[in-house]
């Protein structure tokens, strides 16, 4: 243990130095050829090596090459900086190393608390057994849609677990054109077929067009198909748009559809003050809600979550333990492994519990408020700048825009497609692009409360610099 103690102290220093110095380093930098070779092609050592040597390797070969998401000028995708509390407890979770499949131990008990906290935080009705921590939202979505499929087939008097989907009318899932790709992946994995994923058009605010949803559901039902689930978004990945959840819940209720909400990124936006949270009415009516602790909350990566209204149905979807072997303890809830596909499950709850405890409810509200404000500030800067154009209203903490110099209207797609990679290579900021309403767009996702207004000014200047390079490439 002396070796572990010594190396552990070194690892703690290396970790703190890394996190403390993030602002002074490039957001992202290319891997040198020597380090790339070491990272990808090293041989397994024949003899084992001392722990402190491993920490030195990590300091010199691994830490210089981050994805970038710890930096206050990282605005890419939806990847947050890690919470200090999450970093602190990660080694302790590894030291305990439980499987949170089930049993009577701290890992399982704490997961119940964390699930209740997450539900309470966003006002989702919670009953014990009402959720599961997962690897991320993609897996959480598979779990949620599996329960939706189970219910729909059960209502038709069949058992999908026993019979599969053979002989049943095609089941139709409704997602908006801005819905996340994990929804379609889940539909494919669950045997529904992507041909039966209806893409509902969006309105000018990139929100699901509810009239179009109604029309599609009616048309499919008339054609003998089986509409079974609508998946709305509480914070789309492209623009952060929040669908009209209450109205969509009404459509789901009227047509007997499962109402799923993808709040992987944006569910916490319900905590924002004033108009920003108004769109969330109806989220609590969902049959299933996905909400990722490893996004806005900053829990270190590997922690998604699905919450559901009916724990018994979720258990019936996955439990493979014969009744006579059930281990219900006093609570009657069984094992977490009965609520999803994973058997051995890591101790995700400790990082989430630590992050939420450290921030407290007030701290989480401040985190959301600060990042939403930063997004509005960036949008205002873009609106005021003659060479930028806002492409979507800001409803959470994502800003979608493009570079549009005053003297040019041609090849804007070409220009904006090239900008993110050039910005990334310059190393001072990191943003990513997307396509919006058929046009190339830039998007900045604000998740880090350490970001300042100066960082936003610098981001726009970096984009201008990158645009000069891109223009020279396009018009040599
Ligand atoms: C809205 C939304 N849904 C789902 C996902 C998928 O989440 P994960 O990468 O955790 O599987 C993302 C990822 O960014 C997302 O933004």
């Amino acid at each position: 243990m002396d070796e572990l103690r010594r190396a552990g102290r070194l690892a703690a220093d290396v970790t703190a130095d890394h996190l403390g110095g993030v602002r002074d380093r490039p957001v992202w930098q290319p891997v040198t050829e020597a380090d790339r070779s070491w990272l990808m092609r090293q041989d397994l050592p024949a003899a084992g090596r001392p722990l402190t040597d491993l920490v030195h390797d990590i300091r010199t070969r691994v830490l210089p090459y981050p994805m970038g998401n710890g930096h206050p000028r990282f605005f890419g995708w939806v990847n947050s900086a890690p919470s200090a509390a999450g970093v602190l407890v990660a080694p302790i979770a590894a030291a305990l190393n439980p499987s949170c499949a089930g049993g009577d131990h701290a890992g399982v008990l704490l997961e119940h608390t964390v699930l209740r906290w997450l539900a309470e935080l966003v006002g989702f009705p919670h009953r014990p057994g009402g959720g599961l921590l997962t690897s991320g939202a993609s897996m959480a979505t598979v779990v949620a849609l599996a329960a939706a499929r189970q219910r729909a087939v059960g209502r038709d008097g069949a058992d999908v677990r026993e019979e599969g989907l053979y002989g049943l009318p095609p089941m139709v899932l409704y997602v908006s054109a801005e819905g996340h790709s994990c929804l379609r992946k889940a539909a494919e994995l669950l045997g529904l077929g992507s041909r039966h994923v209806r893409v509902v058009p969006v309105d000018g605010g990139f929100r699901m067009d509810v009239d179009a949803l109604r029309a599609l559901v009616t048309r499919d039902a008339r054609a003998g198909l089986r509409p079974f689930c609508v998946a709305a978004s509480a914070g789309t990945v492209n623009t952060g748009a929040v669908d009209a959840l209450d109205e969509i819940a009404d459509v789901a209720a009227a047509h007997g559809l499962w109402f799923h909400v993808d709040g992987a990124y944006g569910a916490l936006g319900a905590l924002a003050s004033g108009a920003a949270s108004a769109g969330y009415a109806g989220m609590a009516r969902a049959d299933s809600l996905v909400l990722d602790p490893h996004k806005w909350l900053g829990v270190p990566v590997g922690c998604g979550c699905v919450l559901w209204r009916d724990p018994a149905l979720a258990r019936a979807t996955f439990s493979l333990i014969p009744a006579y072997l059930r281990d219900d303890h006093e609570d009657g809830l069984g094992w977490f492994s009965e609520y999803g596909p994973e058997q051995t499950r890591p101790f995700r709850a400790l990082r989430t519990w630590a992050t939420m405890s450290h921030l407290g409810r007030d701290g989480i509200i401040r985190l959301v408020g600060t990042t939403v404000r930063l997004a509005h500030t960036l949008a205002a800067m873009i609106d005021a700048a003659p060479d930028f154009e806002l492409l979507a209203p800001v409803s959470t903490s994502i800003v979608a825009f493009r570079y549009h110099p005053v003297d040019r209207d041609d090849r804007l797609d070409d220009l904006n497609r090239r900008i993110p990679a050039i910005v990334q290579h310059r190393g001072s900021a990191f943003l990513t692009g997307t396509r919006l309403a058929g046009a190339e767009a830039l998007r900045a996702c604000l998740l880090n409360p350490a970001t300042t207004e100066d960082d936003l000014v610098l981001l726009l200047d970096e984009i201008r610099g990158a645009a000069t390079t891109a223009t020279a490439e396009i018009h040599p």
Side-chain angles (χ1 to χ4, degrees), residues 359 361-373 449:
L359 287 169
R361 190 172 216 283
D362 292 350
I364 297 170
I365 290 172
R366 262 197 312 279
L367 163 71
V368 170
T370 303
T371 43
V372 167
R373 250 190 325 278

Side-chain angles (χ1 to χ4, degrees), residues 78 136-138 180 182 235 237 262 264-265 292 294-295:
V78 186
S138 300
H180 194 272
C182 72
V237 65
D262 178 1
Y265 147 65
D292 268 1
H294 72 191
K295 292 193 166 68

